[in-house]
Amino acid sequence: MPKQILKFPAGFLWGSATSAYQIEGGNTNDWSEWEKSEVRSNKLEKEGKNLDDYLCGSACKSYELFGEDIKCLKELNCSAYRLGLEWSRLEPEAGKFDKSAIAHYRLILKTLKENQIKIVLTLWHWTNPVWLIKQGGWENQKVRQYFSRYARLIVNELGDLVDFWVILNEPLMIIGHGYLDGKFPPNKKFNPTLFKVIYNFLAVHKQSYKIIHNRYPKARVSLAMTTGAFTPANIYNPLDRLMVKLANYFRNDWFLNRLKGYFDYIGVNYYHHDRLSWRPPFRKNLNKKITDLGWEIYPAGLEQVLKNYQKYQKPIYILENGIADADDKLRPDFIKDHLFYAHQAIKQGIDVRGYFYWSLLDNFEWAEGYWPKFGLYAVDRKTFKRTARPSAKVYAEICKNNRVVIS
């Protein structure tokens, strides 16, 4: 078969994504404290796991070695980088900001600008200052005024360097794993306080959106949505089709619908597909190809998600899409196949303007620790040396030529 050459629109953003806590290292926040908690340690010991592999610790040491990360971005020919800030570094005590941390983040952003890399800045990516948690965290309505104070600091000190803003990253993941299944801190199961958390997330986003736009009226502001693609296990079964409609609404639309008028683009994080049935076990995936984490690889689902968001009539940026693949055997095709479906969406008139691979580096993958390898670059945990995987060269060619070649 002849090769397919899929050209992307001029100005399409090619990037990679990280979060502050997962790569920076050397920080104290609610996650670092939870990792060392007795409940967490006992659970890991019972499972026979090495505790050190589940402590973030030094991570990739990117707080100090950010220059090495920028070299990686340049090698990849990335035109943009999605990175995060650590609220707990910037405001280690309530109302007291760390000037050296502000200056350090400003240096990172300025260095990116000097290297002609656009900045997509995430204000909150799951972690919180310890002082906030002691006051009830996101269950306490005071988080609204605390986060507004933090957002104003960032806007005033760093806002002139930011190209795109992400206020919240995947808030529904914290709802699901923090308050429904108890996998993440605060480890609550089917807890009704989740409704307080949801409405605080919504309020914080709206307040922060106004703060950013008051200072920068032309700012591009949004959040990163954790999305899912759903298909019926039996296409002819109306109950299966109903399950798909419900799942799509609550996973992809419900939260976003409550923020209408408060986002300038849509940020899509896509990893998951489920074939749904109305009968247990509800999820009936075929799993012909899976990631190291056991997630089904379903590239066509990205097109489905993008088509769903067309109704909002906003530009769309794929802010996260990646694979845990330690052997790097599946990653090259994973990237190309997902970009094929992104290109299909663009051909249909959907306004997709950028793609960010998750992740630039092997990093600390939250409750899963260090064993899942998402990075285009492997990181030696002792020396912190970054080493490009073969898939990095594949992605670098895509970014350089603004096209995907499918053989």
Side-chain angles (χ1 to χ4, degrees):
M1 286 182 65
K3 291 182 179 179
Q4 268 188 293
I5 298 176
L6 308 178
K7 192 75 176 173
F8 281 74
F12 192 86
L13 284 188
W14 295 103
S16 190
T18 58
S19 89
Y21 184 62
Q22 291 177 268
I23 65 169
E24 285 184 351
N27 188 44
T28 300
N29 56 32
D30 62 329
W31 270 85
S32 67
E33 297 306 289
W34 171 71
E35 290 159 23
K36 295 179 286 186
S37 68
E38 188 175 344
V39 171
R40 177 69 172 156
S41 299
N42 288 344
K43 181 179 183 294
L44 293 172
E45 283 178 1
K46 284 180 183 177
E47 294 170 354
K49 293 177 178 174
N50 181 356
L51 299 185
D52 287 344
D53 291 335
Y54 293 84
L55 297 173
C56 185
S58 297
C60 306
K61 217 171 184 178
S62 288
Y63 195 71
E64 292 88 354
L65 301 178
F66 67 90
E68 296 301 307
D69 297 346
I70 294 173
K71 284 181 186 176
C72 296
L73 291 165
K74 295 293 285 183
E75 289 175 5
L76 291 170
N77 303 304
C78 285
S79 54
Y81 181 38
R82 181 184 167 204
L83 73 162
L85 302 174
E86 255 297 321
W87 185 4
S88 56
R89 282 190 193 277
L90 290 158
E91 193 177 359
E93 296 180 53
K96 295 183 179 179
F97 295 114
D98 186 325
K99 291 182 180 179
S100 64
I102 296 167
H104 188 78
Y105 277 122
R106 186 163 184 85
L107 174 62
I108 294 172
L109 300 187
K110 281 186 70 175
T111 308
L112 286 164
K113 285 289 188 183
E114 289 165 1
N115 282 275
Q116 290 79 50
I117 297 171
K118 290 187 181 297
I119 293 164
V120 182
L121 192 69
T122 306
L123 299 189
W124 180 85
H125 199 128
W126 298 3
T127 56
N128 306 286
V130 172
W131 61 260
L132 177 68
I133 299 305
K134 289 179 179 178
Q135 296 188 41
W138 285 86
E139 297 167 40
N140 185 346
Q141 196 165 320
K142 286 186 177 179
V143 71
R144 303 181 186 190
Q145 68 187 67
Y146 298 149
F147 198 94
S148 291
R149 181 174 65 198
Y150 164 59
R152 285 191 186 92
L153 170 82
I154 304 309
V155 168
N156 292 335
E157 298 290 343
L158 305 175
D160 58 310
L161 297 170
V162 179
D163 296 288
F164 297 84
W165 299 82
V166 178
I167 297 169
L168 302 173
N169 178 77
E170 299 184 341
L172 292 183
M173 286 291 284
I174 294 300
I175 297 299
H177 291 320
Y179 294 87
L180 285 175
D181 67 17
K183 182 180 176 182
F184 290 174
N187 304 110
K188 296 183 178 182
K189 292 188 178 182
F190 299 101
N191 194 292
T193 56
L194 68 87
F195 294 104
K196 290 182 181 179
V197 177
I198 288 171
Y199 288 109
N200 283 334
F201 277 142
L202 291 168
V204 157
H205 178 92
K206 290 177 181 179
Q207 289 171 356
S208 301
Y209 181 91
K210 291 175 184 176
I211 290 166
I212 296 167
H213 272 275
N214 283 341
R215 180 71 182 270
Y216 297 102
K218 295 182 180 179
R220 290 167 285 190
V221 185
S222 190
L223 73 162
M225 287 290 296
T226 175
T227 65
F230 304 99
T231 50
N234 181 350
I235 197 169
Y236 301 108
N237 189 316
L239 293 177
D240 286 6
R241 294 202 302 271
L242 176 61
M243 286 285 289
V244 165
K245 284 186 178 180
L246 290 171
N248 182 68
Y249 176 71
F250 284 107
R251 178 72 174 265
N252 298 323
D253 291 345
W254 184 88
F255 196 84
L256 204 58
N257 285 346
R258 277 144 188 81
L259 292 175
K260 284 181 179 177
Y262 292 91
F263 53 88
D264 307 305
Y265 67 93
I266 295 174
V268 167
N269 293 0
Y270 175 71
Y271 297 95
H272 297 110
H273 162 258
D274 286 311
R275 293 175 77 248
L276 298 179
S277 169
W278 70 275
R279 294 184 297 181
F282 304 117
R283 183 186 291 125
K284 296 185 177 180
N285 290 357
L286 299 177
N287 291 333
K288 292 178 181 177
K289 284 187 180 180
I290 59 172
T291 73
D292 290 351
L293 282 167
W295 300 349
E296 183 179 48
I297 299 172
Y298 189 75
L302 179 57
E303 181 184 358
Q304 183 180 326
V305 166
L306 297 173
K307 287 172 76 171
N308 175 64
Y309 283 139
Q310 187 179 26
K311 64 192 173 214
Y312 293 101
Q313 297 184 313
K314 295 287 185 182
I316 302 171
Y317 292 84
I318 302 160
L319 294 181
E320 288 185 28
N321 175 238
I323 180 174
D325 178 26
D327 294 334
D328 203 46
K329 291 179 179 176
L330 300 175
R331 189 174 286 108
D333 284 343
F334 178 96
I335 293 171
K336 288 185 175 184
D337 292 345
H338 281 80
L339 287 171
F340 171 84
Y341 284 102
H343 191 269
Q344 290 294 105
I346 292 168
K347 280 172 63 178
Q348 295 171 63
I350 300 170
D351 191 8
V352 184
R353 299 189 185 182
Y355 175 90
F356 292 72
Y357 177 81
W358 180 276
S359 174
L360 177 66
L361 310 169
D362 284 345
N363 55 30
F364 181 74
E365 278 298 328
W366 306 108
E368 304 299 337
Y370 279 104
W371 74 264
K373 307 298 183 186
F374 278 87
L376 292 165
Y377 286 78
V379 179
D380 186 301
R381 288 185 58 198
K382 292 182 179 178
T383 66
F384 304 102
K385 181 182 178 183
R386 282 84 164 125
T387 302
R389 291 195 165 98
S391 56
K393 295 175 183 176
V394 172
Y395 190 54
E397 282 298 305
I398 292 170
C399 297
K400 180 182 178 181
N401 298 312
N402 197 36
R403 68 181 191 182
V404 178
V405 180
I406 297 178
S407 52

